Amino acid sequence: MAADIRATTMPSAILLALSLSLLVVAARSDTAAAAAAPVTPSTACNGTTDPSFCRTVLPSNGTSNLYTYGRFSVARSLANANRFLGLVNRYLARGGLSPGAVAALQDCQLLSGLNIDFLSAAGATLNTSANSTLLDPQAEDVQTLLSAILTNQQTCADGLQAAAAAAWSVRDGLAVPMANSTKFYSVALSLFTRAWVPATKRSSRGSSAANKPPHHGHGRGLFDATDDEMVRRMALEGAAAAVPVVGEVTVDQSGAGNYTTVGDAVAAAPSNLAGSGGYFVIRVAPGVYEENVVVPKNKKYVMMIGDGIGQSIITGNRSVVDGWTTFNSATFAVLGTGFVAVNMTFRNTAGPAKHQAVALRSGADLSTFYRCSFEAYQDTLYTHSLRQFYRACEIYGTVDYVFGNAAVVFQGCSLYSRLPMRGQSNTVTAQGRNDPNQNTGTTLQGCVVAAAPDLAANAAFPVATYLGRPWKLYSRTVIMQSEVDAAVDPAGWMPWVGDFALATLFYAEYNNTGPGADTSRRVAWPGFHVLGSAADAGNFTVGNMVLGDFWLPQTGVPFTSGLN
């Protein structure tokens, strides 16, 4: 009987696959045809986030197509980014600024330099491609870079705003140039999205439309490894058994390794490795490493392997109360593309009274964290920008303890809400999408959302815990196929202030279990949804949200591409 069923259903499956492929091709063809049609600059600007400003950017006469306008806007944005960096440098060169102002400007300096890199890369891709040949992952790569540019600019603005008391003159002097830069970058992202991203894909992440069916496949890395097999290979057989390796060093506080600090090992990594060549592996022996570490943008494809959660620990105690910006309070910060961490603990011990105090910040594209823990209180894990994946990790915190504006998927992770200060509520996520065309958002899939032991044992004062709150206007978070415990308030989600973002955010839940998963008493915001189909939920999986099938296999880290 089974053979007969296969024989009769196989042609239907093939026809369905062919039909779906044709629909995708047709959608791209329709988008390409519309983008290639000549239009006036004014018409081209009508669909952008700021049509009036857009008309001041594009040439005022003649007609062209969306492809040309898109390339032109990226070039203008690059020129603007260079001007803005020059202005930041001039402020820093003046001297006499308060430490708070200097710290915020230094963040802006770093972020503006990254924007120049990203715009240069985006422009190079667009200028060397024919009008309609940007397909996945190329179109997604450019949209990711343009999304990150807006995030970087917002982070610069947030830092200056937070340092306002110490930086009034600086903030006011940069206010107009910063606002104009944001408008430039938003217009460029708008025009790129209209020209190169199919309309079906634009609507799929945040509405009931879906651009392709849910994928239920399971990626298992290079060697079809399960989680346990992967750990065994890395621990017992060496990293080369799991992934290609171009070099390997050991960090050991006893002096038995190549280096005694993690920072020195990172500095020794080759610069600008290509992902196709393999990883530079840093093994971190058991110990507590008290240092603040940065993996800079030129240290690409670094893989850091510890001895396990609670064994190889990198710890610091920087906080906003002690004068650091949130961005630069991170104990561990990574910018280098392709970073992988396995079996590590990243910790910030500043404590709840010091408010924002980040354990780890990632602004590294294609970064992966496997069997790691992140421990702090407010703002524990800063998933700042670009594309990220977390598998079988543990995150501990209180207020907004997973926050940022990356395109990020947490899979099989445990998120533990700790006991906050009296009068505080716990919020698991605070997603920071601030433009409707950004391809960013946070997905929790197959995770556990629970109370940490100190919160579970608390009887001193009531503590409400929420799945998230909207940090920015277009905040986007999806919790699916996860276990939610009773610590989560029946309302599920918490407003930021008043009705801010309640109609523009996209918060969704799908097929969750546990006593806190009941959606019957959830918030009634326009932007909150209980997803009703696998097709809708499929848009927020690894395969769709971060295009993980294109880059996760080379990490060797197990992953599920679609729904469980």
Side-chain angles (χ1 to χ4, degrees), residues 362-539:
S362 179
D365 199 20
L366 315 180
S367 53
T368 307
F369 299 85
Y370 179 48
R371 289 200 168 187
C372 293
S373 70
F374 309 89
E375 302 171 7
Y377 288 85
Q378 182 171 347
D379 290 3
T380 301
L381 178 55
Y382 197 172
T383 57
H384 181 262
S385 55
L386 301 165
R387 291 166 290 192
Q388 306 179 26
F389 178 66
Y390 296 74
R391 169 86 176 199
C393 291
E394 299 175 0
I395 306 103
Y396 294 82
T398 55
V399 179
D400 305 337
Y401 63 92
V402 174
F403 75 113
N405 195 24
V408 56
V409 177
F410 293 85
Q411 196 170 82
C413 295
S414 297
L415 296 94
Y416 295 113
S417 297
R418 306 175 85 168
L419 184 65
M421 292 191 297
R422 186 180 292 272
Q424 286 185 327
S425 297
N426 285 332
T427 41
V428 178
T429 66
Q431 206 282 326
R433 184 168 171 256
N434 63 342
D435 189 284
N437 290 304
Q438 288 178 310
N439 61 353
T440 55
T442 297
T443 296
L444 272 60
Q445 180 190 14
C447 293
V448 173
V449 180
D454 61 344
L455 180 62
N458 170 59
F461 54 88
V463 176
T465 295
Y466 299 91
L467 296 173
R469 60 177 181 158
W471 184 26
K472 302 297 180 185
L473 189 61
Y474 297 96
S475 182
R476 180 160 57 184
T477 302
V478 177
I479 317 290
M480 60 187 187
Q481 300 179 317
S482 295
E483 182 181 340
V484 183
D485 86 354
V488 172
D489 190 271
W493 306 83
M494 178 184 179
W496 189 267
V497 59
D499 62 356
F500 170 76
L502 302 188
T504 50
L505 61 78
F506 183 87
Y507 285 172
E509 298 179 52
Y510 174 75
N511 276 11
N512 297 313
T513 59
D518 180 6
T519 58
S520 63
R521 296 167 60 190
R522 288 296 194 252
V523 293
W525 304 340
F528 172 72
H529 308 270
V530 177
L531 299 181
S533 73
D536 291 342
N539 291 297

Side-chain angles (χ1 to χ4, degrees), residues 99-100 103 319-325:
S319 70
V320 167
V321 170
D322 287 337
W324 300 91
T325 61

